[in-house]
Amino acid sequence: MSFRVTWDNLLDNVEELSADATLLTPVSQKPFHITDVQQHRVLIEYQGDSETVPLQREQFETLFERVDDATGSFDLDRLPPGAEPHATVMSLHPRFTIDDRDGTLSESETPTASPLVEAHTVEQDDGPREEPDISVYADALLLIDALEQHDVTSLTELDVPTLVNLYTLLSDVQRNANDLRQDVRGVLLDRLHHDQPVSGQYGSVQRAVRRNRTLKDDEEVLELLEAEGIDPERVLSVDTSKLDDALEVTSLSESDVYEIDESEYVRKADVDDEMKESRLQGLKDQLAGADEDTTELQAEIEELEERITELTSFDSGTSFHTRSTGG
């Protein structure tokens, strides 16, 4: 298919997009909106920025040719600066697809929908809130309830049972939150293919590499150093910094003397405290403005408090022991 036909079809699909549709750039995940569609360009505005950015027809043609030259699959890492929205808009064409896992833009005979387009602005869900069946949710609710009942800014004034309850809940929240965090990290690692931060509502994350070094067999390392004219005695019974100094004056590489293991992880890049505070205030306002009958809810709370009391009460035969530090 020629680019002229592709361009005409693309403009038709862009014009059919709802006016409040939100699009995301494929690498940095920056939201933007299409403000106008013209014969030779598409005008966009990034969310939170009133400046209009024109996406010219010839720029789309260049991208079209690059996808074609790449045998139908173009690596998004090769996009020049400022060209990310072109790829997103191109994916509105039914025969062009962005794979956010592989980080590619490809042409296919099978029509597909773009994964980087929300058909409408996300609206507040006014439906009933459902309790997720995960441990951290229940632990967090219990912890919130405990924090509302006690002044934790003066811990020294709290009695022992209260401190035990707080410590138990904090420990449970930390453990279960970390388990869930690791599950989320595993999914994110499959979807983050670039080192640029990817933003969400409350913050951003980015793919990173953690690098660990393990010294190879001592005899092998010493033989390599001796072959390079380094007296093995210089690195015996010393830390690795001495070995690193020795490497700087030899032709040996770091991998010659270290077993290097790299593992990928998700690093928190930023936290939007203002957004978190705004969301929390919204939740507080919702609770304060609720006018439904709370009799059933109150009964559930009382039952939950009874269960907490049973779980955290002290048996008369239980005693506390402190660890002896004497010899």
Side-chain angles (χ1 to χ4, degrees):
M1 181 181 296
S2 68
F3 176 71
R4 181 184 62 79
V5 176
T6 298
W7 177 248
D8 290 339
N9 291 339
L10 177 60
L11 291 185
D12 290 340
N13 281 273
V14 173
E15 289 178 337
E16 291 176 0
L17 202 62
S18 61
D20 61 349
T22 300
L23 296 84
L24 298 173
T25 56
V27 178
S28 59
Q29 299 286 296
K30 291 179 61 177
F32 66 93
H33 303 276
I34 294 176
T35 59
D36 193 14
V37 179
Q38 301 175 1
Q39 184 59 39
H40 296 289
R41 64 181 184 176
V42 175
L43 303 181
I44 70 168
E45 285 184 5
Y46 286 104
Q47 187 170 300
D49 189 350
S50 59
E51 181 181 357
T52 299
V53 179
L55 309 182
Q56 303 293 346
R57 180 185 187 278
E58 55 266 25
Q59 295 170 323
F60 284 99
E61 185 171 9
T62 299
L63 181 58
F64 174 85
E65 293 172 350
R66 290 191 176 185
V67 174
D68 187 60
D69 292 342
T71 320
S73 182
F74 176 74
D75 190 345
L76 295 173
D77 278 335
R78 297 172 55 197
L79 286 172
E84 284 191 57
H86 296 76
T88 299
V89 174
M90 182 69 83
S91 71
L92 296 176
H93 191 289
R95 293 183 58 182
F96 284 85
T97 303
I98 283 183
D99 189 322
D100 55 352
R101 290 179 177 268
D102 294 336
T104 59
L105 172 66
S106 57
E107 186 175 4
S108 172
E109 296 295 330
T110 305
T112 57
S114 174
L116 300 176
V117 179
E118 295 179 355
H120 53 79
T121 302
V122 177
E123 298 179 354
Q124 178 68 34
D125 184 7
D126 294 327
R129 299 174 66 89
E130 296 184 2
E131 178 180 339
D133 187 19
I134 52 177
S135 299
V136 69
Y137 179 82
D139 291 333
L141 285 181
L142 291 174
L143 178 59
I144 291 171
D145 179 63
L147 294 176
E148 289 177 344
Q149 294 183 42
H150 307 286
D151 182 9
V152 295
T153 60
S154 302
L155 291 176
T156 56
E157 298 180 6
L158 300 180
D159 57 25
V160 171
T162 298
L163 290 172
V164 170
N165 288 342
L166 286 171
Y167 187 86
T168 300
L169 291 173
L170 287 166
S171 178
D172 288 345
V173 169
Q174 181 186 37
R175 181 185 67 253
N176 292 319
N178 190 57
D179 290 343
L180 181 59
R181 182 181 68 88
Q182 292 182 10
D183 292 341
V184 173
R185 179 181 63 187
V187 176
L188 274 175
L189 281 174
D190 291 335
R191 300 186 182 182
L192 300 179
H193 303 281
H194 313 277
D195 59 0
Q196 293 93 339
V198 177
S199 298
Q201 185 180 13
Y202 298 125
S204 61
V205 298
Q206 65 185 108
R207 194 181 186 95
V209 175
R210 180 181 290 113
R211 197 166 180 271
N212 299 315
R213 301 192 311 179
T214 305
L215 195 64
K216 292 184 177 180
D217 180 74
D218 289 353
E219 185 176 348
E220 179 184 355
V221 173
L222 293 176
E223 288 179 355
L224 287 169
L225 290 173
E226 189 172 12
E228 293 290 327
I230 300 297
D231 185 358
E233 296 292 334
R234 290 182 55 187
V235 295
L236 289 177
S237 302
V238 294
D239 59 25
T240 55
S241 63
K242 298 295 183 181
L243 178 57
D244 291 340
D245 292 339
L247 289 178
E248 291 182 0
V249 296
T250 70
S251 61
L252 295 174
S253 67
E254 190 180 40
S255 60
D256 288 329
V257 297
Y258 288 102
E259 294 286 357
I260 299 176
D261 176 45
E262 294 185 346
S263 60
E264 295 180 319
Y265 68 102
V266 176
R267 179 175 66 87
K268 183 170 64 176
D270 185 36
V271 175
D272 192 339
D273 291 325
E274 184 176 346
M275 176 59 72
K276 290 176 66 177
E277 185 64 30
S278 175
R279 176 58 179 160
L280 286 173
Q281 186 59 50
L283 292 174
K284 293 176 183 178
D285 293 342
Q286 282 184 326
L287 293 173
D291 57 358
E292 66 272 18
D293 185 5
T294 60
T295 303
E296 182 178 352
L297 177 61
Q298 185 62 39
E300 292 177 357
I301 293 175
E302 291 175 356
E303 181 182 356
L304 184 59
E305 289 176 344
E306 291 177 0
R307 289 170 54 193
I308 296 172
T309 301
E310 293 175 359
L311 291 173
T312 58
S313 61
F314 294 95
D315 187 272
S316 59
T318 302
S319 61
F320 287 90
H321 300 273
T322 57
R323 180 178 299 176
S324 174
T325 57

